[in-house]
Amino acid sequence: MSAEVPTPNAGKPRSQVVKTNRQQVLLFAVLTLVLTVAVVAWGGRIWLKNSETLVFSVGDGNSLEARFAARLAAVLKNSNSRLRLKIMTNGDSARALTAFDRRQADLAVLRTDAKVPPRARALAVLEHDLVLLISPGSKKIKSLAELRKRKIAVLADGDSSTAFVRSALEIPDGSDANSRVQTAPPNSTLDKLFAPGGYGAVIAIAHASTLVKDKRYAQYARRGGFTVNAIDEAKALARRNPGISEETLATGMLASSPAIPDDDIDTIGLQWLLVAQSRMSTTTAGDLARAIYENKAELALDDGFASRIEPADTDKDAFIIAHQGAAEYINDETKSFMDRYSDAMYLGAGALSIIGSIFAAIYTKITRVAPEKAGELATAILDIGERIEQADSLDALEALQDELETILRGAVIGLRDGSISTDGLETFKLGYEFVRDEIGMRRDHLKRHAGHEDNVVVVKTAQSA
């Protein structure tokens, strides 16, 4: 009586194994999708935790700094930055700086003639204001001493510019100062200010980015003419007052025909700076600086303000020291993403590899029927080999041969559909060849001892038929 031949996968039919594996592949995909969603959710939570909202202190809602802050907020949002801005409006620019000084805000914009909060650190130079010393007709003003003797109108936005002029000219506060240096009335023109009995000089303070677009100076020149004077003491003024910068008024900057001025002249100016709290992290300041310098075109206002953003002064003796994060970006010393997170990435990759292996093992053991090793079938083959000696007839021997061929056919099909792996395939081949040869030798032995080989052949042929 022949023994039961083991079939792959613990006695399961091959078709059932294949069907089960297909079902478990689907389950594997579903579980993987669930795991992916969980990882994405976890990553989103980490990203939200890593995001940061900065408070930007500005004057009224229509001020320069408020409009710039709105542009910066849009840039950060559109570039998918982890940084976000919350704009905090105040009555005016002075109150905005006060809020910044009290640490109620992370960012602010200031002009360098303002009182600088001690914890302010520069991120970028947004704009330059140029000082134009203008006299009527062709009359030149040769020195500041001569200028101080004249009645001066300050043509600029806000009373802070008038206070700046008085400070730069070293005219002490008082009734005399108020009469000699006055803020020009709204909508004033040069021809009206230089009318008989009017002012002897006009000091105009304007953004450098808007001067090149201002057509009024060309119109003034055609109506009566004026002279733009150099400030020969510009270097001395900048040395005495660190908030003042030396500037150059380029030829034809105010008008091209005729060229006004007709040559490059020295003057003084002020800078508009975007400042951050010194406590701001280096990473945050660097990310903010990168967003600003890489999106200059999107940050420029319609009137030209902030159209030529420049790096902050990174020298240690700068009027307002650059924030360390901005300085690292400007000097190209910022750490790349790989430099900053390489250690964490290596650790994370190792952890993910271990976790992935664990999950793969769990999926294989729990949800998937593992393929049987080809080497494990050798046990069934050797079992057939042990029963060869007990076969005392050709029919019994043919039954063993059928069992051996059944195992071989199952192995070939299993290798094709994946229910059997190639692990131990050489062992299987050696076992099969050994038992096949043993059956052949046993068949020859039975034929010789039977003494009627021809009849055996005839009988077997009849049985086969």
Side-chain angles (χ1 to χ4, degrees), residues 95-236:
R95 294 179 183 177
L97 284 180
T98 299
F100 178 87
D101 192 24
R102 293 175 178 172
R103 298 189 179 185
Q104 297 173 355
D106 304 290
L107 300 169
V109 173
L110 61 81
R111 198 170 71 170
T112 50
D113 60 329
K115 181 181 179 182
V116 180
R119 289 175 292 275
R121 298 293 182 267
L123 294 178
V125 179
L126 302 182
E127 187 61 82
H128 290 260
D129 276 2
L130 299 182
V131 175
L132 310 180
L133 177 55
I134 304 172
S135 55
S138 58
K139 298 178 181 179
K140 290 188 176 182
I141 301 175
K142 299 180 180 180
S143 65
L144 291 181
E146 180 181 345
L147 176 63
R148 292 188 186 98
K149 299 176 182 178
R150 301 191 181 199
K151 184 178 179 181
I152 304 169
V154 179
L155 195 61
D157 295 331
D159 295 334
S160 60
S161 295
T162 303
F164 162 71
V165 171
R166 290 172 183 162
S167 175
L169 296 179
E170 298 180 346
I171 298 175
D173 293 335
S175 58
D176 183 60
N178 293 337
S179 62
R180 290 165 57 189
V181 181
Q182 301 177 359
T183 301
N187 301 319
S188 297
T189 59
L190 288 180
D191 48 358
K192 292 181 179 179
L193 295 174
F194 288 142
Y199 296 94
V202 170
I203 293 181
I205 302 177
H207 306 318
S209 57
T210 60
L211 278 176
V212 295
K213 302 178 181 179
D214 196 339
K215 305 299 182 182
R216 292 178 299 173
Y217 291 99
Q219 297 172 1
Y220 296 155
R222 287 193 292 267
R223 288 202 296 264
F226 58 91
T227 299
V228 180
N229 302 271
I231 300 179
D232 296 332
E233 296 88 342
K235 185 175 294 186

Side-chain angles (χ1 to χ4, degrees), residues 153-456:
V154 179
L155 195 61
D157 295 331
D159 295 334
S160 60
S161 295
T162 303
F164 162 71
V165 171
R166 290 172 183 162
S167 175
L169 296 179
E170 298 180 346
I171 298 175
D173 293 335
S175 58
D176 183 60
N178 293 337
S179 62
R180 290 165 57 189
V181 181
Q182 301 177 359
T183 301
N187 301 319
S188 297
T189 59
L190 288 180
D191 48 358
K192 292 181 179 179
L193 295 174
F194 288 142
Y199 296 94
V202 170
I203 293 181
I205 302 177
H207 306 318
S209 57
T210 60
L211 278 176
V212 295
K213 302 178 181 179
D214 196 339
K215 305 299 182 182
R216 292 178 299 173
Y217 291 99
Q219 297 172 1
Y220 296 155
R222 287 193 292 267
R223 288 202 296 264
F226 58 91
T227 299
V228 180
N229 302 271
I231 300 179
D232 296 332
E233 296 88 342
K235 185 175 294 186
L237 289 173
R239 188 179 298 113
R240 288 197 299 267
N241 188 339
I244 295 176
S245 58
E246 296 181 64
E247 304 284 351
T248 298
L249 193 62
T251 304
M253 189 171 184
L254 302 181
S256 57
S257 181
I260 303 175
D262 56 5
D263 197 4
D264 291 352
I265 60 175
D266 295 328
T267 186
I268 60 175
L270 299 167
Q271 294 180 344
W272 290 81
L273 302 177
L274 175 64
V275 296
Q277 294 283 358
S278 58
R279 64 180 179 178
M280 180 180 290
S281 70
T282 301
T283 300
T284 298
D287 292 344
L288 191 58
R290 178 182 291 105
I292 292 171
Y293 296 130
E294 293 180 358
N295 297 277
K296 295 180 181 180
E298 288 77 10
L299 293 173
L301 302 186
D302 295 337
D303 59 4
F305 182 84
S307 60
R308 297 181 63 87
I309 297 176
E310 300 173 5
D313 189 351
T314 58
D315 291 340
K316 293 182 179 179
D317 59 351
F319 176 57
I320 298 180
I321 300 175
H323 194 288
Q324 182 64 30
E328 289 180 358
Y329 178 81
I330 294 168
N331 296 328
D332 198 23
E333 297 174 354
T334 54
K335 292 183 179 180
S336 65
F337 179 84
M338 287 299 298
D339 293 335
R340 189 180 301 170
Y341 299 109
S342 58
D343 292 342
M345 290 177 64
Y346 287 133
L347 291 175
L352 288 176
S353 177
I354 295 173
I355 294 172
S357 299
I358 293 174
F359 271 100
I362 292 174
Y363 289 151
T364 300
K365 295 296 182 182
I366 297 178
T367 67
R368 180 174 171 82
V369 178
E372 187 173 5
K373 297 179 181 179
E376 295 175 352
L377 299 177
T379 301
I381 292 177
L382 294 177
D383 179 68
I384 295 175
E386 292 176 355
R387 287 185 280 135
I388 292 177
E389 292 295 331
Q390 302 172 6
D392 53 2
S393 67
L394 291 177
D395 290 339
L397 198 62
E398 290 300 326
L400 295 178
Q401 179 73 40
D402 291 342
E403 290 183 22
L404 181 65
E405 296 302 326
T406 298
I407 294 175
L408 176 62
R409 184 164 50 254
V412 172
I413 295 174
L415 289 171
R416 182 185 63 190
D417 60 27
S419 61
I420 296 178
S421 71
T422 59
D423 192 3
L425 183 59
E426 290 297 325
T427 301
F428 173 81
K429 291 170 59 179
L430 289 174
Y432 171 80
E433 292 173 356
F434 174 77
V435 173
R436 180 194 60 188
D437 294 341
E438 285 290 321
I439 290 175
M441 289 188 293
R442 182 64 176 170
R443 181 183 292 109
D444 293 340
H445 173 77
L446 292 176
K447 288 179 179 180
R448 285 195 303 270
H449 286 77
H452 42 75
E453 298 179 4
D454 293 339
N455 291 338
V456 171

Side-chain angles (χ1 to χ4, degrees), residues 45-115:
R45 182 176 179 182
I46 294 298
W47 184 87
L48 290 175
K49 184 177 179 181
N50 192 40
S51 63
E52 187 174 357
T53 299
L54 304 175
V55 179
F56 200 137
S57 181
V58 301
D60 63 71
N62 196 40
S63 61
L64 286 174
E65 59 267 30
R67 288 183 281 147
F68 175 80
R71 290 289 180 96
L72 180 57
V75 164
L76 294 176
K77 182 178 180 180
N78 295 335
S79 60
N80 295 322
S81 171
R82 70 179 185 86
L83 302 177
R84 291 291 183 267
L85 284 189
K86 177 182 178 182
I87 301 175
M88 181 177 68
T89 58
N90 299 271
D92 51 41
S93 299
R95 294 179 183 177
L97 284 180
T98 299
F100 178 87
D101 192 24
R102 293 175 178 172
R103 298 189 179 185
Q104 297 173 355
D106 304 290
L107 300 169
V109 173
L110 61 81
R111 198 170 71 170
T112 50
D113 60 329
K115 181 181 179 182

